[in-house]
Amino acid sequence: MQTTQKIAITQLEEVLNAVYDSGSPVVKQATSDFDQPTKVFPTAESLREDMLRYKDLNRVFNCYSIYYPEAKGSVTERRIDLNPGAVSGHTHRFAAAGWGLIQLQCNFRDQPMIECRVAVNSKVRAQNWSSLYPEMGSPELWDWDVVNRHASRLVRLLRKLAKQS
């Protein structure tokens, strides 16, 4: 399940609040900065500050992983070793991995509009790919009704906001 919508930058706050409105999510960078652990964002305000900080540094694309513990499942962080010399002065980064993680991506390239994307694996897709990624655990560990409920809620909100923009 996924959607990509353009919303006004003034609507970003509503999206971020919706992430935290239902349940107690664990929100992290989907991929860490070089040579750093992934950052965790305990509140909508901390997530907004991070997004805007990167926007101000001319990094126009941000991606975050959202995990709702009630969805159970298995979430891991994998280390990505960079090819020597590929990124001057850096050796690695980390990435979140889990079949039921919800991805929130925001692209600030066309301000004052933001391209927002919410995406999550389906149970069927996770089952089809699970043999290739055994380190992510079994998709059967996830409560897919919970994953879909949260993802659908965020997708509906983005579509509604896009119509208002």
Side-chain angles (χ1 to χ4, degrees):
M1 170 187 325
Q2 69 177 352
T3 191
T4 302
Q5 303 291 327
K6 286 203 174 191
I7 64 170
I9 196 166
T10 57
Q11 296 170 309
L12 181 60
E13 194 73 27
E14 192 171 346
V15 173
L16 301 183
N17 286 337
V19 168
Y20 293 87
D21 279 350
S22 183
S24 298
V26 177
V27 181
K28 294 177 134 185
Q29 292 173 307
T31 305
S32 74
D33 296 333
F34 294 116
D35 303 320
Q36 299 294 316
T38 53
K39 294 178 192 165
V40 179
F41 306 99
T43 64
E45 177 64 24
S46 64
L47 181 55
R48 184 183 67 78
E49 285 175 10
D50 188 72
M51 281 187 177
L52 297 180
R53 180 176 69 89
Y54 281 113
K55 175 189 71 77
D56 292 342
L57 294 173
N58 293 320
R59 179 173 155 185
V60 296
F61 180 80
N62 299 291
C63 187
Y64 301 90
S65 292
I66 305 166
Y67 170 63
Y68 290 94
E70 66 187 285
K72 302 174 184 149
S74 173
V75 178
T76 61
E77 218 171 80
R78 64 183 174 92
R79 180 183 165 120
I80 301 168
D81 290 314
L82 305 173
N83 290 331
V87 181
S88 181
H90 300 290
T91 61
H92 67 279
R93 64 191 326 177
F94 294 93
W99 295 116
L101 290 178
I102 299 169
Q103 303 296 316
L104 172 64
Q105 301 168 347
C106 295
N107 185 327
F108 291 88
R109 186 173 299 127
D110 298 324
Q111 291 184 58
M113 301 302 286
I114 303 171
E115 184 179 88
C116 285
R117 179 174 185 256
V118 168
V120 66
N121 284 313
S122 68
K123 180 179 181 179
V124 170
R125 184 176 192 280
Q127 289 169 331
N128 289 340
W129 285 88
S130 64
S131 64
L132 296 174
Y133 300 98
E135 68 278 7
M136 288 176 52
S138 172
E140 298 304 319
L141 297 173
W142 290 87
D143 184 334
W144 290 98
D145 290 336
V146 172
V147 171
N148 291 331
R149 184 178 75 238
H150 286 293
S152 295
R153 181 175 54 81
L154 296 172
V155 164
R156 282 191 310 273
L157 175 62
L158 276 181
R159 289 178 178 158
K160 175 184 141 192
L161 294 174
K163 287 179 184 177
Q164 296 172 358
S165 321

